[in-house]
Amino acid sequence: MSLKAALYVGCGAALGSMVRHATILALGPSFVTITLINICGCFAIGAMKPGPFWTIGFLGGFSSYSTYLVMTYQAHNAVYLVLEVIFCMGAWFLGDVVHQHVRRAHTKAEA
């Protein structure tokens, strides 16, 4: 990876982290807030299939799996650990389905 590409991804990550922080301030620091952030990030990756700035950078900085793991460890809550993975994988899958549907509709409209 070139320095230019690394800076590009780093800027996206910084922006994503700031948006995550603002979201946590607005909604309050809780399991629910972190879960919603992670689900939204997974859905966006599945739905948009964005490039490195958005996927690795912004959405990587926005989603907060390290926070989710720390909160799970502190709460000694294995159920949350499993549910987070299920919901986030489901959100990515749903986003992927939406992406495919939009792509097909767009292809039909062009034909």
Side-chain angles (χ1 to χ4, degrees):
M1 177 184 280
S2 70
L3 178 59
K4 182 179 177 181
L7 290 172
Y8 191 63
V9 169
C11 288
L15 289 172
S17 295
M18 288 187 282
V19 172
R20 181 184 71 233
H21 182 66
T23 303
I24 290 170
L25 289 177
L27 301 177
S30 69
F31 284 111
V32 173
T33 301
I34 297 302
T35 300
L36 289 174
I37 287 169
N38 290 340
I39 289 171
C40 288
C42 288
F43 179 82
I45 289 171
M48 298 186 311
K49 306 282 192 249
F53 175 84
W54 289 106
T55 303
I56 299 167
F58 184 84
L59 292 170
F62 177 67
S63 61
S64 184
Y65 285 100
S66 59
T67 302
Y68 130 76
L69 289 173
V70 169
M71 290 175 74
T72 301
Y73 174 75
Q74 290 172 343
H76 303 289
N77 192 340
V79 172
Y80 178 70
L81 178 77
V82 172
L83 289 176
E84 177 86 11
V85 171
I86 290 169
F87 286 134
C88 288
M89 291 292 291
W92 174 85
F93 180 73
L94 179 61
D96 191 52
V97 169
V98 168
H99 175 78
Q100 295 300 324
H101 178 72
V102 170
R103 190 179 193 181
R104 273 183 257 148
H106 184 68
T107 302
K108 280 184 180 180
E110 287 180 346

